[in-house]
Amino acid sequence: MRRRRGRIVLHVDMDSFFSAIEQRENPELRGRPVVVGADPKGGRGRGVVSTASYEARRYGVRSGMPISQAYRLCPSCIFLPVRHELYWRVSKRIMQILRSYAAKFQQVSVDEAYLDVTGLVKSYGEAEKLARRIKAEIYEKEKLTCSIGIGPNKLVAKIASDHRKPDGLTVVPPGEVESFLAPLPVRKIPGIGPRSEALLKELGITTIGELAQCDVQRLIPLFGRWASRLVMLARGVDEREVRERSKVKSIGREQTFPRDLEEEEELRAALEELAERVHRDLKEEGFLFRTLTLKVRFSDFETHTRAKTLRSHHGDLATIKEVSQSLLSRFPPRKVRLLGIRLSKLKKRQAVTLDDFM
Ligand code: TTP
Ligand code: MG
């Protein structure tokens, strides 16, 4: 039997990224509670906290919290506006450093990336040394700290990087995955938010270890097709590859039919299938779209496209089906040789949800 060789994956996450950059830029802010986000306007401000320095977190201030609440918790905090351009400039330089250490590299957000170093290092011990070198180089060049998790896959690496923060380094070799995950709350699994957590609690499941032991059948009524995926994650199994996402401008699929289609029902079914495939690609790439273009080639090779741009970004299958059907219905009934769906005006999905794993 051929066994798949184990991987070594690093997850790197910068510490309180936006506020750490602000503290670096202005030495007076170092060691002080800094909140980056909307203007609190003396407690009446709207909008949210982007991030808080670890000093501000001691007051209970957290990312995503209304800025007015942050102000109530810590009126003496230093509130700063968000300077995205600056943070992205710094991010680019850090990602360049990280990329140079990886066999496969995947940036997942402004301050987070996966590195597959399988083949570049021979053991978890060597991987740990590599991680220390990475931390030292980032600190030397950017005066910023990060936390790194090392594991046999993305899931374990990601949970490990979050384990000891800031300036942490957590190594979880394959043999320790189970004991590392078991005592942690289920919330630590990316994609399990407050609602999933509450559902699991109803079943008496609060730790990852309990979830790993649980009979999938009990989860199906609550989580449907996510159930088995959830249990696999809890067992520390995650086959997702570390892979570079290119700068995709659009995502599309088209299909020429073995024979021309004419019946409305046939066309509808073919379009639905195409919609499903495009939707899978969109999800794989982690994008939302705003414009859908339908391409129709008739039996005489005459080809037309029609596009619709939505008011906001969408990523669900129902919208793709609905918009493509409504565009198709605007063509006169004729024999169709080819159909195509292309999605453009893409934007990266923000939050990681269970959907990302499906
Ligand atoms: P995170 O890595 O989630 O947070 P962080 O780097 O500030 O802190 P930690 O040490 O816990 O990693 O996000 C990276 C940056 O993304 C963060 O500095 C600000 C931004 N961000 C938001 O703007 N809104 C949010 O809700 C979150 C979570 C992050
Ligand atoms: Mg971070």
Side-chain angles (χ1 to χ4, degrees), residues 208-257:
I208 297 182
E210 286 160 355
L211 183 57
Q213 298 292 327
C214 145
D215 179 2
V216 184
Q217 297 303 323
R218 288 179 67 211
L219 297 179
I220 288 176
L222 295 172
F223 293 94
R225 60 200 187 89
W226 289 357
S228 57
R229 174 76 199 168
L230 260 183
V231 173
M232 290 310 266
L233 290 174
R235 292 178 183 163
V237 178
D238 178 15
E239 300 286 340
R240 289 172 303 154
E241 294 285 332
V242 174
R243 63 192 181 105
E244 187 84 52
R245 302 216 160 134
S246 52
K247 289 219 168 71
V248 186
K249 285 260 165 56
S250 71
I251 289 174
R253 290 258 185 175
E254 49 185 67
Q255 170 145 36
T256 305
F257 304 106

Side-chain angles (χ1 to χ4, degrees), residues 12-18 51 54 57 109 111-112 165:
V12 182
D13 190 320
M14 302 302 296
D15 300 320
S16 61
F17 192 51
F18 294 2
T51 198
Y54 279 79
R57 291 183 199 191
S109 77
D111 83 327
E112 234 183 292
K165 243 182 175 302

Side-chain angles (χ1 to χ4, degrees), residues 38-47 66-75 79:
D39 182 350
K41 295 188 180 154
R44 288 168 293 108
R46 295 161 74 86
I67 201 76
S68 53
Q69 189 183 349
Y71 187 82
R72 278 199 302 280
L73 287 168
C74 180
F79 290 86

Side-chain angles (χ1 to χ4, degrees), residues 21 168 236 338:
I21 295 174
L338 169 149

Side-chain angles (χ1 to χ4, degrees), residues 8 30 39 50 112 122 130 156-157 175 195 236 251 262 277 293 341:
I8 304 182
R30 288 185 201 151
D39 182 350
S50 287
E112 234 183 292
K122 285 198 255 338
L130 186 78
V156 175
R195 277 195 301 161
I251 289 174
E262 195 171 25
R277 280 165 46 201
T293 306
I341 296 176

